[in-house]
Each structure stands twice: as C-alpha cells, then as structure tokens.
Amino acid sequence: MALIRLGFGRQHFCLLKRRSSLLLKLTAVVFAVLLFCEFLIYYLVIFRCDWPEVKTPAHDSGQKTLKAMFLADTHLLGEVRGHWLDKLRREWQMERAFQTALWLLQPEVVFILGDIFDEGKWSSSQAWADDVERFQKIFRHPRHVQLKVVAGNHDIGFHYQMSTYKIKRFEKVFNPERLFSWKGMNFVLVNSVALEGDGCHICSEAEAELIEISHKLNCSREVGEHLKAQVRLFWHLLWGRSLHFVFGASLSAPFLSYRSGRAGSGGLTDFSPQKRGPGRCRGAPLLPASAPVLLQVSAHRAAPAPGLRGSGPSASACWSHGTLSKSRQHFPLFRRSDANCSGEDAAPLEERAIPFKERYDVLSREASQQLLWWLRPRLILSGHTHSACEVLHGAGVPEISVPSFSWRNRNNPSFIMVI
C-alpha cells in the first residue's frame, strides 16, 4: 500500500509540474504579446517616419531649418462622457505614440491644433484641473521642445457657448502666443471659434488682435523689401564706381546717374529703428520677413459613440510636408465638403460628399477671405474634421487639415511632420 501511495504521489507531483510549466509558458506568451502590442509596436511604426528633404536656397546655404510636429483633436475624455476603460485605453495609446515620436523624431516644436479636451466647454473647475493634469502627463516633453496649443470648440465651446471665463481659463494653462517666430519662420495661432463676425466683444477682440498681427507682418515685409532694394542699390553703385575708375566717366555715367535726383532715391535710405520703412511702421517690432503659417481650429462634426473602437495593435502613422512659414488654427477655411480629398487619412468615402456647414464645420466665406487678406499666409494648418485633406485657396495658398490623434475618433490616427 505504501508503494502504491508513493506512485500516486509521484504522478500528482509530475502533473503539478507540467501545469506550472504550462502556466509559465502561457504567462510568458501573454507578456510578450502585451509588450509588443502596447509598447514595441509604436517604435516599429514611427521608426519608418522621416523628416522631408527640402531643397531651397536657404537650405542649400546652410541655414538651419525648424522641425515641427502637428497634432489635432486629442479629445481627452472628462468625467461625464465615455467609459473609464475607454479613457484609460485611449490615453495610453496617445501617450505611447507621442512619447515614442518625441524620442525617435526629435522635433523642436509641437503644435496641437485644438480640441485638446472633449468636455472643456462644460467641465467644472475641478474636472478641468483633473483633465489638465492628465494632459500634462500624456504630453510631457523636454524643456528644449516647445509645445504650442490652439483652442478648439471642445475646449472653450462654440461661439454661442464660449465665454471670457473659459477663454481665460484655457489661456492661463497654455498661455497661447498669437504670433510665434522662430528660426526665420512666423506662425500665427488663430482662435477661429471667435471669427463669427457678429460683433460680439470676444469676436471684436480676436479681430483686433489679427489686425495688429497683420500690421506687424506687413511692416516686416516692407522693411525686408526696402533692405533688399538698398543692398541691390549699394552693389549697383559700387559696380558703377568701379567702372568709372577703370573705364572713365562716360561709360560709368548710366550707373552713377541712378544715385542722382533722376532716380529719386537720394542715396541709401536710413533704416535705423527710428526711420525704417513708411511712417506707419515706425516703432513696430521687426519680425522675419516671411509669409506666416496660419494655425487654426474649427468646430467639428459629432464625435463617434464611445466604445473601444480601433483597439488593435496599431500605432499612429505620420506624413511629411516640406514648407516654410505657416498659419495654424482649429477650423478649416471655407470649403464645400471633403469631396476632393483622398488618401488613407481622408474621410471615409460615404462622408466626403456631405456638405459642410459654415461656422460649424468650417469658417464662413467672409472670415476665410479676411484671414487670407490680412495674413497672406504661405501655408494653413487646421484640425476639427478628424480627417486629412489638402486644398488650395485663393492664389494657390495650400491648407492641410490634420487628422485626429485619438484612436477614439479614427482607427488610423496620424500626425504631420513639417520642416
């Protein structure tokens, strides 16, 4: 009997050993899957992204370029909408994608084009503080990387919902600069929610700010053109004097006459800070003499219903665009629909032909024309529609709508790299 019992004990021990080994293997497989799907996948996908190559005179002369990354419509959920698991999942995905992009791509400045939060338009003071704390954790960045944020309709409300209190609350945290210049590039950040054109005090203040920015940019352009003209005149006169010294007065007279009263120049103009440019520009700060990049935010169509949409092991994609000065905002400029948009980041085919509503999906025609007239941007970047699109305005001014960075809004969130 003792031998029989010993045999059963040995069999029981072998069975436990096999179960333990199987459990360890299963645990290792689950851990490996989680490690790949929730961490390594982001590196594998974003590693394929690269900054665009730009061949311009400034680039060829060795002038430093600015590496900028653009995100839009992160829609961090608040205390009212969305399940806690949905919130946890989406925020983890955005955090890993953003931190991986920072580490691999090393951008110098990051712009988020509005709708940072999903419930900022109605959140209480405590809920707002909690949302801001989560945002700062997800989008933490080194000190040498600048983070610029534009307000969206979900952050401060649509025109009929926004208030001075909500705008000040937003600006206290993000301290947005309406005009930002770095490495010879001008960026204009527009509160497009306030471009309603109905004369409300918030709208009037926003328009006055844009007019002042337009004045600064135009003065800088004029000063730049005057300085270029004076340089050309200097070399013209220098060449004329050289001819006079070598060949005599008769041959050099046409060159030297340019300085006389007949040319109306009176010699080199004094462009000291007290006398530069036309009288209306005296005392204006001198900015880089380049057309700005316009950044703005727009209202957007209804967000998809809460749920674990797009929860597969996919990381955010990126696409590159080489350009110079830009404008940034949330609302897109006026366009009828996304019918002419294409590509994997564009809206679904069944949604592209749906007409946009002015002052809700896009800016009004009047506001769009005013922005183009006031700022004369080289490039416009906007959010709000959650899908990518490239369109041309006026005399060929390109606008890029940046797709949403949240898996809650689309299955293939993206960001844009601009240099």
Side-chain angles (χ1 to χ4, degrees):
M1 292 295 293
L3 292 176
I4 295 175
R5 289 178 181 175
L6 182 61
F8 277 117
R10 287 179 179 177
Q11 291 179 3
H12 182 65
F13 176 76
C14 291
L15 182 60
L16 289 176
K17 188 176 181 180
R18 290 176 183 174
R19 288 180 178 176
S20 300
S21 177
L22 181 62
L23 182 60
L24 287 175
K25 291 179 181 179
L26 182 61
T27 303
V29 169
V30 171
F31 177 79
V33 170
L34 289 176
L35 179 65
F36 179 80
C37 294
E38 302 300 334
F39 191 79
L40 296 179
I41 185 65
Y42 297 94
Y43 289 89
L44 294 177
V45 172
I46 298 178
F47 181 76
R48 298 179 297 174
C49 302
D50 198 7
W51 295 99
E53 294 184 6
V54 180
K55 294 298 181 182
T56 63
H59 183 270
D60 296 336
S61 63
Q63 181 177 335
K64 293 183 179 180
T65 54
L66 178 63
K67 294 181 178 180
M69 191 166 76
F70 296 88
L71 288 63
D73 297 281
T74 54
H75 284 272
L76 271 65
L77 292 175
E79 63 179 2
V80 178
R81 300 176 61 179
H83 192 270
W84 67 267
L85 182 59
D86 185 18
K87 183 190 301 185
L88 178 66
R89 178 66 174 153
R90 301 306 162 212
E91 292 180 5
W92 166 258
Q93 291 171 325
M94 285 190 287
E95 180 178 356
R96 291 311 324 145
F98 182 75
Q99 296 301 325
T100 304
L102 283 186
W103 190 79
L104 289 177
L105 303 175
Q106 298 290 310
E108 297 170 90
V109 59
V110 178
F111 295 93
I112 304 183
L113 305 181
D115 281 356
I116 314 303
F117 307 110
D118 195 63
E119 303 175 16
K121 55 187 177 182
W122 64 55
S123 60
S124 64
S125 298
Q126 184 58 49
W128 172 264
D130 294 340
D131 293 346
V132 169
E133 184 178 357
R134 288 173 21 243
F135 171 86
Q136 293 173 342
K137 175 183 177 295
I138 295 170
F139 296 99
R140 63 189 182 275
H141 53 91
R143 290 185 177 181
H144 66 272
V145 178
Q146 297 201 47
L147 180 65
K148 304 293 182 180
V149 177
V150 181
N153 57 288
H154 274 262
D155 302 315
I156 60 176
F158 279 103
H159 174 262
Y160 58 87
Q161 294 174 313
M162 69 176 179
S163 64
T164 302
Y165 167 74
K166 295 177 184 177
I167 294 175
K168 295 298 182 184
R169 182 174 68 174
F170 184 89
E171 293 179 346
K172 182 179 179 180
V173 175
F174 298 106
N175 191 27
E177 299 176 75
R178 298 294 181 224
L179 179 58
F180 170 65
S181 299
W182 196 9
K183 289 190 175 182
M185 299 175 63
N186 297 315
F187 301 90
V188 180
L189 285 69
V190 179
N191 177 11
S192 50
V193 181
L195 298 182
E196 189 76 8
D198 62 350
C200 74
H201 72 281
I202 297 178
C203 300
S204 299
E205 290 177 0
E207 292 179 7
E209 286 182 343
L210 288 174
I211 292 173
E212 178 63 23
I213 290 173
S214 173
H215 172 70
K216 294 178 181 178
L217 292 172
N218 289 333
C219 287
S220 298
R221 289 191 187 102
E222 292 178 10
V223 171
E225 292 300 321
H226 282 303
L227 290 176
K228 289 179 182 179
Q230 296 305 308
V231 170
R232 289 194 296 267
L233 176 59
F234 171 78
W235 287 109
H236 190 92
L237 296 175
L238 183 62
W239 179 243
R241 290 185 182 277
S242 300
L243 291 177
H244 177 79
F245 177 76
V246 176
F247 298 103
S250 59
L251 183 59
S252 63
F255 293 90
L256 293 177
S257 65
Y258 187 75
R259 189 180 181 182
S260 67
R262 286 171 289 174
S265 65
L268 294 177
T269 304
D270 180 6
F271 275 97
S272 61
Q274 292 77 20
K275 297 185 178 181
R276 67 189 184 208
R280 66 184 182 87
C281 290
R282 291 178 184 173
L286 185 60
L287 302 170
S290 62
V293 177
L294 181 62
L295 304 180
Q296 63 180 24
V297 190
S298 303
H300 67 271
R301 299 180 180 183
L308 296 180
R309 178 185 177 193
S311 58
S314 61
S316 61
C318 58
W319 49 303
S320 304
H321 193 280
T323 184
L324 289 177
S325 61
K326 314 162 185 71
S327 167
R328 299 155 183 77
Q329 56 196 28
H330 184 68
F331 281 95
L333 296 188
F334 175 82
R335 61 176 183 259
R336 295 185 181 278
S337 67
D338 275 350
N340 296 324
C341 305
S342 60
E344 62 179 347
D345 292 313
L349 287 173
E350 62 273 14
E351 296 180 8
R352 295 181 193 176
I354 299 177
F356 282 143
K357 181 180 178 182
E358 290 187 57
R359 298 180 175 89
Y360 186 81
D361 295 313
V362 294
L363 289 179
S364 66
R365 290 176 182 267
E366 295 78 9
S368 301
Q369 292 171 356
Q370 281 183 326
L371 284 176
L372 292 172
W373 174 255
W374 285 340
L375 303 176
R376 292 187 287 167
R378 292 188 184 184
L379 174 66
I380 302 167
L381 288 143
S382 59
H384 188 64
T385 63
H386 296 175
S387 301
C389 187
E390 293 189 56
V391 295
L392 295 177
H393 298 283
V397 179
E399 177 182 0
I400 299 176
S401 291
V402 181
S404 174
F405 192 64
S406 174
W407 273 260
R408 192 170 181 268
N409 295 327
R410 54 184 300 117
N411 286 325
N412 57 339
S414 307
F415 58 87
I416 292 181
M417 302 158 59
V418 176
I419 194 170

